[in-house]
Amino acid sequence: MDFFNYKNNELYAEDLAVTDLADQYGSPLYIYSKATLVRHMNAFKEALAKKRHLICYAVKANSSLSILALMASLGAGFDVVSEGELRRVIKAGGDPKKVVFSGVGKTAHEIAFALEQGIDCFNIESVPEINAISSVAKSLGKKARVSVRVNPNVDAKTHPSISTGLKSNKFGIAYDEALAVYRQMAADPNLEICGIDCHIGSQMTSGAPILEATERLLDLYKELTECGIKIDHIDIGGGLGVTYGDETPPSPYEYMSAVINRLKDLDISIYVEPGRAMVANAGILVTKALYLKKGSVKNFCIVDAGMNDLIRPALYNSWMNIVEVKKHQDAKVDLYDVVGPVCESDDFLGKERKLAVSAGEYLAVRGAGAYGSSMSSNYNSRLLCAEILVDKNKSYVIRKRQDFSQLWENESIAGL
Ligand SMILES: *Cc1c(COP(=O)(O)O)cnc(C)c1O
């Protein structure tokens, strides 16, 4: 559930009319609802209340400083995948001691920075990475806390591009190798084993795959305990899906209760790394219809937001709900491909949508809070959009629209 609702046929973000916000701040525009973010964080807290836990918000889903600061104020930790993300967390007032560091390509510089900040844990994704972390830790005279991202070979039954827990994926260490890897780490004086980790995919709309992965982690936990290797947390990753169209994902409570039930008797913390489920439905992308181009085989609604602002449809063929910001009662509905201004055939936000829209009116892409602005780019030398956060009847600019000089601020005209 979110706080973007219609009142008198007008879409509202909490208590503010989206049309007024777009008129005031310009289009395209990302709008986030604070109440929705708080609600989602609380849903995860309630789901985990019965067990020692850490909710590590996955920064890559939306790395806006204001959203990170809000999450930190609600007690969240963070899952980061780069030094840039860790620096954002620190800048936003997040506690590095509640940070886990995932990703297959951590550089020596990133590892050193994370160790100096005292992060909670590195989620190890390959054997060579263990050696890299060990040697950086040794050179700094520190012990690195580590957890292995185990690849449990479980099918998350999601889109192939966002499935990560199969043997064929680049992520994690194969389940069959994990025990030997833990033994190697246990013998390394520069490392301190703290957990077991997995992240099997994204946009999962059933709890079955994560329960299956939990069973495998539990088997590994037992084997490690028998070898005298102490585990303090089990991290089940992120991946809980959201409703973009007709999906009916479980609530965080439903998703987690079977997992918690399996782990309740162990003296461990449960870590989770939700990204999408936390922010997707807390954000919309507002865009203006520029031109209606009627063709013999297709109608196009050309809008002022493109794949550089929101790439999910172009990248994963994701279906995202596109709605009229103002609904007209008896307006004529047509079928449109909603496309952006970027010079690429794949630059679309939605295909074959029934819309009653005229040029100059606003549309909103719902569920755009996750993997929207964080994946945006300057392609076609388009400016990164403004982003605002709404709290009841107040709105705050959390990122100004870029200005043109920022497009080339790091460039020089040289070598002529
Ligand atoms: C992307 C990612 C997440 C978050 O995934 P969601 O599907 O957005 O919940 C969590 N953990 C890791 C390691 C990730 O790469």
Side-chain angles (χ1 to χ4, degrees), residues 56 58 60-61 79 81 102-103 123 125 149 164 171 197-199 201-203 237-240 273-277 370-371:
C56 296
K60 75 177 192 286
D79 171 49
V81 294
S102 306
N123 289 336
E125 305 238 14
R149 175 169 176 182
T164 55
F171 299 103
D197 167 52
C198 75
H199 171 69
S202 200
Q203 185 53 11
L240 175 57
E273 302 169 350
R276 190 188 308 273
Y371 307 106

Side-chain angles (χ1 to χ4, degrees), residues 244-245 319-323 353 364-367:
Y244 289 109
W319 191 93
M320 301 184 75
N321 195 10
I322 302 175
V323 296
R353 302 306 172 87
V365 186
R366 304 194 66 140

Side-chain angles (χ1 to χ4, degrees), residues 168-281:
S168 53
N169 294 125
K170 72 175 175 181
F171 299 103
I173 288 179
Y175 184 85
D176 301 338
E177 293 168 32
L179 188 59
V181 167
Y182 271 101
R183 285 215 168 101
Q184 178 193 339
M185 299 197 309
D188 189 323
N190 308 309
L191 304 178
E192 179 188 331
I193 292 169
C194 60
I196 308 175
D197 167 52
C198 75
H199 171 69
I200 58 173
S202 200
Q203 185 53 11
M204 287 186 283
T205 50
S206 140
I210 201 64
L211 192 57
E212 196 184 331
T214 302
E215 298 293 349
R216 308 218 69 193
L217 298 191
L218 201 54
D219 290 343
L220 178 61
Y221 172 88
K222 286 177 192 153
E223 285 183 84
L224 292 172
T225 311
E226 277 160 25
C227 304
I229 295 174
K230 194 168 156 13
I231 296 297
D232 190 56
H233 74 254
I234 290 185
D235 183 342
I236 61 163
L240 175 57
V242 302
T243 303
Y244 289 109
D246 55 8
E247 305 93 334
T248 51
S251 68
Y253 191 88
E254 292 162 338
Y255 183 71
M256 227 79 84
S257 57
V259 170
I260 291 177
N261 224 15
R262 289 298 286 134
L263 301 177
K264 69 175 185 300
D265 297 329
L266 308 185
D267 180 23
I268 50 155
S269 295
I270 298 182
Y271 286 16
V272 290
E273 302 169 350
R276 190 188 308 273
M278 202 72 95
V279 289
N281 291 320

